[in-house]
Amino acid sequence: MPPLTRIDLDGDVKAALSRVPARAGVGQVLGPNGRNLVIGRSANLRKWAAGHLGRARPPKPVPGKLPPRPPTDLTPIAAAIRWVE
């Protein structure tokens, strides 16, 4: 298995996200003590990570459907992002 690239968040989520590639791969958001918070496969790792760290664009409401759920924001407990392309 190829090694996963890791970026510690260290409070600057925007800078960390800019280092995540906008390509397909598998991503993981880590919490305290390296514990897994979420893992997933994505066509765009940067958008995937941004979506779990409260930096995604809010979805547009669709008439006649339930309103979109609020964005996920794991920033208060997230410590790092890991991925492999």
Side-chain angles (χ1 to χ4, degrees):
M1 183 169 117
L4 278 73
T5 304
R6 178 185 170 127
I7 294 179
D8 291 324
L9 295 178
D10 295 329
D12 192 358
V13 175
K14 187 176 180 180
L17 287 173
S18 70
R19 295 175 52 199
V20 177
R23 292 189 292 272
V26 175
Q28 181 179 27
V29 178
L30 299 171
N33 302 320
R35 298 188 76 182
N36 181 50
L37 296 177
V38 66
I39 189 166
R41 186 173 58 176
S42 174
N44 185 324
L45 287 165
R46 186 177 301 149
K47 284 184 180 180
W48 177 85
H52 290 289
L53 296 173
R55 304 304 192 276
R57 292 184 187 147
K60 295 180 181 177
V62 177
K65 296 211 173 193
L66 292 173
R69 68 177 179 83
T72 303
D73 188 2
L74 297 173
T75 304
I77 58 172
I81 305 168
R82 293 191 333 169
W83 74 88
V84 64
E85 293 181 51

